[in-house]
């Protein structure tokens, strides 16, 4: 017989971006619950994950970003229950470069993260660098390399932490991004 599985994810996020300020704060809380039951095993996992991001525009060309993440996990396998707390501390430093090839803005970044599981005493870290280019208004691409790294699905969405090369694309979309898009332009002509 097939296993009976279910999952739920409840998310709350909040951002503070003052128009005239040099700093902004973003926080996100996730509550995740997964269950699985089959003939051999009944398992349940509940995770609470809190991520706090702080970004400071140090000067017009330099930004500093900090991340603090905390995760509490409770897992039950049949009648045995396990729990643990992990935390992540990350930092990013970005600097605009004065050189603008083909009229495109370039920036360079250094980043690092430290992940610690408190009950087991195990820690991992990630450190790397990247070069970014603004391809068009609100479109940014970076290519980078992490000298050392780790993988963690709960914390890695905000930063790339795996070891090795990576490519990232960020696109900002808001209420004005598609203002000039006419739906009839998407329909085939008759």
């Amino acid at each position: 017989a097939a296993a009976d599985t279910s999952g739920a994810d409840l998310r709350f996020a909040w951002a503070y971006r003052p128009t005239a300020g040099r700093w902004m704060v973003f926080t996100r809380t996730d509550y995740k619950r997964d269950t699985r039951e089959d003939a051999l095993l009944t398992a349940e996992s509940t995770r609470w994950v809190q991520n706090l991001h702080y970004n400071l525009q140090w000067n017009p060309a330099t930004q500093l970003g900090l991340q603090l993440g905390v995760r509490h996990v409770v897992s039950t396998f049949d009648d045995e229950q396990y729990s643990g707390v992990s935390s992540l501390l990350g930092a990013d430093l970005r600097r605009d470069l004065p050189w603008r090839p083909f009229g495109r803005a370039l920036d360079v970044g250094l980043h690092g993260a430290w992940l610690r599981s408190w009950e087991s005493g195990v820690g991992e870290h990630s450190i790397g660098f990247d070069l970014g280019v603004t391809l068009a208004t609100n479109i940014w691409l970076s290519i980078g390399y992490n000298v050392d790294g780790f993988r963690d699905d709960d914390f890695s969405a905000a930063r790339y932490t795996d070891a090795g090369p990576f490519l990232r694309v960020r696109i900002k979309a808001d209420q004005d991004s598609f203002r000039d898009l006419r739906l009839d332009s998407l329909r085939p002509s008759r």
Side-chain angles (χ1 to χ4, degrees):
D4 183 21
T5 62
S6 68
D9 188 351
L10 179 64
R11 176 174 292 169
F12 175 76
W14 174 81
Y16 180 68
R17 298 179 184 121
T19 307
R22 294 181 353 160
W23 57 276
M24 67 178 117
V25 176
F26 174 74
T27 183
R28 188 177 86 194
T29 302
D30 288 286
Y31 175 79
K32 300 176 182 184
R33 184 171 185 267
D34 298 303
T35 62
R36 178 185 172 93
E37 186 173 350
D38 60 25
L40 301 175
L41 179 70
T42 299
E44 179 180 316
S45 176
T46 304
R47 292 190 321 265
W48 172 76
V49 183
Q50 176 66 47
N51 279 295
L52 175 67
H53 298 268
Y54 176 81
N55 191 1
L56 173 67
Q57 187 75 40
W58 197 288
N59 59 44
T62 309
Q63 290 184 42
L64 173 66
L66 300 173
Q67 177 186 4
L68 174 61
V70 177
R71 172 181 50 215
H72 181 251
V73 179
V74 177
S75 296
T76 305
F77 301 96
D78 289 329
D79 294 329
E80 295 186 37
Q81 188 176 67
Y82 304 92
S83 67
V85 175
S86 300
S87 61
L88 178 123
L89 182 60
D92 302 282
L93 183 63
R94 297 213 71 76
R95 175 87 175 158
D96 291 340
L97 299 175
W99 185 52
R100 292 182 171 264
F102 308 106
R104 305 289 184 213
L106 291 177
D107 59 79
V108 64
L110 298 172
H111 50 266
W114 179 61
L115 177 68
R116 172 126 174 118
S117 176
W118 293 99
E119 279 72 21
S120 65
V122 175
E124 298 182 274
H125 63 278
S126 172
I127 189 163
F129 58 91
D130 65 282
L131 179 66
V133 60
T134 302
L135 297 175
T137 302
N138 297 331
I139 300 175
W140 179 77
L141 177 127
S142 73
I143 185 166
Y145 189 82
N146 283 341
V147 179
D148 202 1
F150 61 88
R151 180 163 179 81
D152 186 289
D153 292 334
D154 290 323
F155 296 126
S156 296
R159 63 179 60 248
Y160 187 79
T161 58
D162 283 346
F166 63 89
L167 177 70
R168 287 188 300 192
V169 177
R170 290 187 182 159
I171 299 173
K172 176 188 166 193
D174 58 20
Q175 67 272 14
D176 296 325
S177 298
F178 304 105
R179 176 181 45 198
D180 297 330
L181 181 66
R182 293 182 20 218
L183 292 178
D184 58 340
S185 68
L186 298 175
R187 295 185 184 102
S189 59
R190 295 182 189 199

